[in-house]
Amino acid sequence: MHIAERMQGVNGSAIRELFKLLGDPEIISFGGGNPAKECFPKEDIEKITDELLRDKSDVLLQYGATEGYLPLRKAYIEKILPDLGLTAELENVLALTGSMQGLDLICKVVVNPGDVVLVEEPSFLGALQTFNIAQAKLVPVPLHTDGIHVDELEALVREYRPVMFYTIPTFQNPTSWVSGIEARKAIARLAAEYDMIVIEDDPYASLRFSGEKLPTIKSFDTSGNVILMSSFSKTISPGMRVALCCGNAELIRKMTIAKQSADTHSPNLNQAIIAEYLNRDLLPEHIAEISKVYAHSASVMIEAMEEYFPDWVEYEKPIGGLFIWCTLPEGWDASELFKKAVARKVAFVPGVSFFTTPGKGNNTFRLNFSAEPEERIRRGIRTLGDLLKETAEEMK
Amino acid sequence: MHIAERMQGVNGSAIRELFKLLGDPEIISFGGGNPAKECFPKEDIEKITDELLRDKSDVLLQYGATEGYLPLRKAYIEKILPDLGLTAELENVLALTGSMQGLDLICKVVVNPGDVVLVEEPSFLGALQTFNIAQAKLVPVPLHTDGIHVDELEALVREYRPVMFYTIPTFQNPTSWVSGIEARKAIARLAAEYDMIVIEDDPYASLRFSGEKLPTIKSFDTSGNVILMSSFSKTISPGMRVALCCGNAELIRKMTIAKQSADTHSPNLNQAIIAEYLNRDLLPEHIAEISKVYAHSASVMIEAMEEYFPDWVEYEKPIGGLFIWCTLPEGWDASELFKKAVARKVAFVPGVSFFTTPGKGNNTFRLNFSAEPEERIRRGIRTLGDLLKETAEEMK
């Protein structure tokens, strides 16, 4: 069988593979980025869906517009964007079958094979795979506990003249680190100065446990080169696959054409459910509730890590998002550790998949704290702590 | 803004643009390929959805598998494929966010820029756009009222060594023509002999008004190079965006990796609704009912055409599907006619968008008979008939 060049060496997402482990209820999973099932607004979704199918099924079961279900696009403009310091017209807004689709469409519109795309290192492995399939040349920008360092970014922009920079500025995946306000302003400035598209991927920002909300990069955008991706996967439901993006009208128009050829349009019912959820003003209170739940889960995990992990494991206490990023001493192999952990019924994501530079990140791993109940978080962390100590003994 | 080469000269789907006209309820639309809203199984979908959200929301609102919702894949294997003369394992089956996504994924897996893809001429314009964005070199295979002529196809395969052939063998879009059993066998043979992927796109076959059901090309597949795309858009609901494909395990595996980077997975709820609909054995009776409705609509349109159209308009009476394909004498421009028709509140699709060869098909257009009620079909056809006669007078 003839296989296109872009798929050579693309082996699929480590997380999607890992996901299959979650089928085993005995496995305590700190892999994935799954919301807690207790955090789904089930009753509201049930009620809304029931009403929608009763009142609007003629429209919802029919073909819809590629641009998206109009009430959803309006609700995004009216209920979501103002809180992010943004105003937009309909021509700036496209509904997506999950944010991942947005990355795929942007790649189709912007990236020729061999074009340079800057990515944070480490970064979301799903995005890296999308850029690899687009045959982009990925150039990593080092990420620090205080986010992007502008001097480093600007030097890389000057050297490589990238077509695009992909960033998750708030509660980044996999690190939960945050880029500060000066970095955000500078990223918007670089987007304008170097005519570089900036993808601001923003699925976690509303899951904040402490500290002040930061303005989006998009809110500093003067050139129209910044595109904001907004997902409801972490706040309402990932299974719905509803996201939207906000960008300049030309880019959105081209992405819409690419979307015609990707899935014609996103499913109507799902978009309508989210639109109604937003229009009933249910989201702010729901986010406040689940942020409290996740803040508590994060504390439980951190306390367990303080108790059970050896003190040479490095990590930061997260102030938002879904993840804790761990770094082991040089020479450790988290992929080996992963195999042993799964044998003891605990799963996490070895960090190497989040790196672009070959051989980097072997000593890192990502823990997710949102998907498991308190008792299993403690038990899982204790198991990992024991494993770390035993492995250290063996390595002596 | 940097725009990738693949998007240069891609102007978007004529039908998707036309779709916006449908917002005007005064327009009688023979464009699109919309099912009649009376043909949606609304009550069943409402009931099923209600039960699903009550019983399974923990699973349905969570992330799902890229391969698809397991009960849907099983229902496809057990309830759909046997009627098509096919057996399959799970590894042969991938759920899709509409068949269009299948085309996009196959292109990602199989097509390098410049690779030759054979397409029927005329063919589904959405597919043509997908292949164009994939930067395939499209080579047209002439389509006839009796479908594909094997000698013509084989000569083109020999000459161009295509990586792929895209065919809608039953009630083709836009023509409603059917390729016979010998052509189907030959296409499967050519797929094997020339290691060529054949996409058998099959959304219309179950909407048959008369005659005997034909076996799928896939049922003659010995090489595994034929992939079948099965959509529920025309039989249950297009707004749900649920389709599946059946192909060899390696191709499905690669398409699954490409899908990870396209939309992570298709929305769970929609897949579960279709799975339940299939598992409750509701589809066969529903298809029997709507086929009757569409057969009647087709008759109404044909009768009106016989009454109101000048006798120099060529068309065939359809025995299934959703379309009637019309050819005007050489020198006519259906795009000009379209503008005049819209001014008189009737829409159709000018045929030129379905052609690959530049300058071909200007004198053709496609009528859809499924979306409008009887009275509006008659009125719209009479308006078109008047317009054709008046325009002929002006051209004298």
Side-chain angles (χ1 to χ4, degrees), chain A residues 1-14 16-17 19-20 33-38 40-42 45-46 49-50 53-54 57-67 97-98 100-104 107-113 115 126 129-130 133-135 163 195 197 224-225 233-234 236-241 248 250-251 253-270 273 371, chain B residues 1-14 16-17 19-20 33-38 40-42 45-46 49-50 53-54 57-67 97-98 100-104 107-113 115 126 129-130 133-135 163 195 197 224-225 233-234 236-241 248 250-251 253-270 273 371:
Chain A
M1 201 172 64
H2 182 273
I3 299 294
E5 279 168 29
R6 69 178 69 79
M7 296 304 287
Q8 315 278 350
V10 177
N11 295 314
S13 154
R16 294 267 99 199
E17 289 307 308
F19 191 87
K20 291 172 188 169
N34 290 16
K37 62 180 194 289
E38 294 74 20
F40 297 136
K42 288 172 216 166
I45 287 179
E46 234 184 289
T49 307
D50 191 48
L53 284 178
R54 200 185 55 213
S57 58
D58 280 357
V59 170
L60 298 177
L61 298 179
Q62 191 55 276
Y63 280 110
T66 303
E67 289 80 356
T97 311
M100 184 64 86
Q101 184 180 52
L103 303 186
D104 182 48
C107 283
K108 279 185 171 143
V109 171
V110 170
V111 180
N112 285 318
D115 281 348
Q129 181 172 310
T130 303
I133 289 179
Q135 293 174 287
V163 296
D195 196 19
I197 296 287
N225 280 335
S233 288
K234 309 305 183 184
I236 303 178
S237 154
M240 286 282 173
R241 314 303 306 126
N248 82 64
E250 187 195 352
L251 181 60
R253 171 77 195 130
K254 298 264 182 203
M255 287 172 70
T256 305
I257 292 172
K259 185 170 162 68
Q260 291 170 355
S261 294
D263 64 2
T264 314
H265 67 85
S266 297
N268 298 326
L269 177 61
N270 313 40
I273 292 169
Chain B
M1 200 172 65
H2 182 273
I3 298 294
E5 279 168 28
R6 69 178 69 78
M7 295 304 288
Q8 315 278 349
V10 176
N11 295 314
S13 154
R16 293 268 99 198
E17 289 306 308
F19 190 87
K20 292 173 187 168
N34 291 15
K37 62 181 194 288
E38 295 73 22
F40 297 136
K42 288 173 217 167
I45 287 179
E46 232 183 291
T49 307
D50 191 48
L53 284 178
R54 201 185 55 215
S57 57
D58 280 355
V59 170
L60 297 177
L61 298 179
Q62 192 54 277
Y63 280 109
T66 304
E67 289 80 357
T97 311
M100 183 64 86
Q101 184 179 53
L103 303 186
D104 182 48
C107 284
K108 279 185 171 142
V109 171
V110 171
V111 180
N112 285 319
D115 281 348
Q129 181 173 310
T130 302
I133 289 179
Q135 295 174 284
V163 294
D195 195 18
I197 296 288
N225 280 335
S233 288
K234 309 305 184 184
I236 303 178
S237 155
M240 287 282 174
R241 314 304 306 128
N248 82 64
E250 187 195 353
L251 181 60
R253 170 76 194 132
K254 298 264 182 203
M255 286 173 70
T256 305
I257 292 173
K259 185 169 161 70
Q260 291 172 353
S261 295
D263 65 1
T264 316
H265 67 85
S266 297
N268 298 326
L269 177 61
N270 313 41
I273 292 169

Side-chain angles (χ1 to χ4, degrees), chain B residues 41-315:
Chain B
K42 288 173 217 167
E43 286 74 22
D44 286 324
I45 287 179
E46 232 183 291
K47 190 159 171 287
I48 287 170
T49 307
D50 191 48
E51 289 176 35
L52 284 170
L53 284 178
R54 201 185 55 215
D55 300 339
K56 295 194 178 158
S57 57
D58 280 355
V59 170
L60 297 177
L61 298 179
Q62 192 54 277
Y63 280 109
T66 304
E67 289 80 357
Y69 183 65
L70 193 58
L72 176 67
R73 295 163 74 210
K74 285 185 177 164
Y76 180 52
I77 290 171
E78 288 164 16
K79 305 285 183 179
I80 301 287
L81 292 180
D83 278 351
L84 304 173
L86 299 172
T87 56
E89 304 296 323
L90 281 172
E91 63 179 12
N92 303 115
V93 164
L94 174 64
L96 299 164
T97 311
S99 290
M100 183 64 86
Q101 184 179 53
L103 303 186
D104 182 48
L105 299 179
I106 293 172
C107 284
K108 279 185 171 142
V109 171
V110 171
V111 180
N112 285 319
D115 281 348
V116 170
V117 172
L118 295 184
V119 292
E120 294 166 337
E121 179 154 276
S123 186
F124 172 39
L125 57 84
L128 299 180
Q129 181 173 310
T130 302
F131 302 144
N132 278 324
I133 289 179
Q135 295 174 284
K137 178 178 155 61
L138 294 185
V139 172
V141 185
L143 195 70
H144 306 274
T145 51
D146 60 350
I148 285 292
H149 288 188
V150 176
D151 54 341
E152 292 175 345
L153 175 64
E154 187 154 7
L156 290 166
V157 171
R158 281 224 194 90
E159 186 178 348
Y160 289 100
R161 299 295 162 139
V163 294
M164 202 154 78
F165 171 43
Y166 173 74
T167 175
I168 309 170
T170 313
F171 313 135
Q172 199 253 11
N173 179 4
T175 60
S176 290
W177 297 338
V178 179
S179 288
I181 190 160
E182 291 310 319
R184 290 166 193 242
K185 286 181 189 169
I187 291 168
R189 173 179 60 78
L190 294 174
E193 270 181 42
Y194 295 90
D195 195 18
M196 168 179 78
I197 296 288
V198 168
I199 306 178
E200 179 177 20
D201 198 0
D202 196 38
Y204 309 107
S206 54
L207 301 176
R208 177 176 280 279
F209 313 150
S210 65
E212 280 300 303
K213 200 169 76 170
L214 286 168
T216 54
I217 299 170
K218 180 71 183 157
S219 68
F220 300 117
D221 183 22
T222 55
S223 61
N225 280 335
V226 181
I227 178 162
L228 176 73
M229 317 288 305
S230 302
S231 168
F232 298 101
S233 288
K234 309 305 184 184
T235 50
I236 303 178
S237 155
M240 287 282 174
R241 314 304 306 128
V242 177
L244 295 112
C245 61
C246 173
N248 82 64
E250 187 195 353
L251 181 60
I252 294 293
R253 170 76 194 132
K254 298 264 182 203
M255 286 173 70
T256 305
I257 292 173
K259 185 169 161 70
Q260 291 172 353
S261 295
D263 65 1
T264 316
H265 67 85
S266 297
N268 298 326
L269 177 61
N270 313 41
Q271 295 183 74
I273 292 169
I274 303 297
E276 270 303 302
Y277 195 83
L278 297 180
N279 283 331
R280 294 179 190 192
D281 290 318
L282 296 165
L283 190 61
E285 198 180 321
H286 178 66
I287 284 177
E289 269 174 42
I290 66 175
S291 297
K292 260 188 239 162
V293 172
Y294 293 147
H296 178 70
S297 304
S299 297
V300 169
M301 186 172 274
I302 285 287
E303 279 163 29
M305 288 166 79
E306 284 166 357
E307 185 170 351
Y308 299 116
F309 273 22
D311 59 8
W312 38 261
V313 181
E314 287 175 27
Y315 53 84

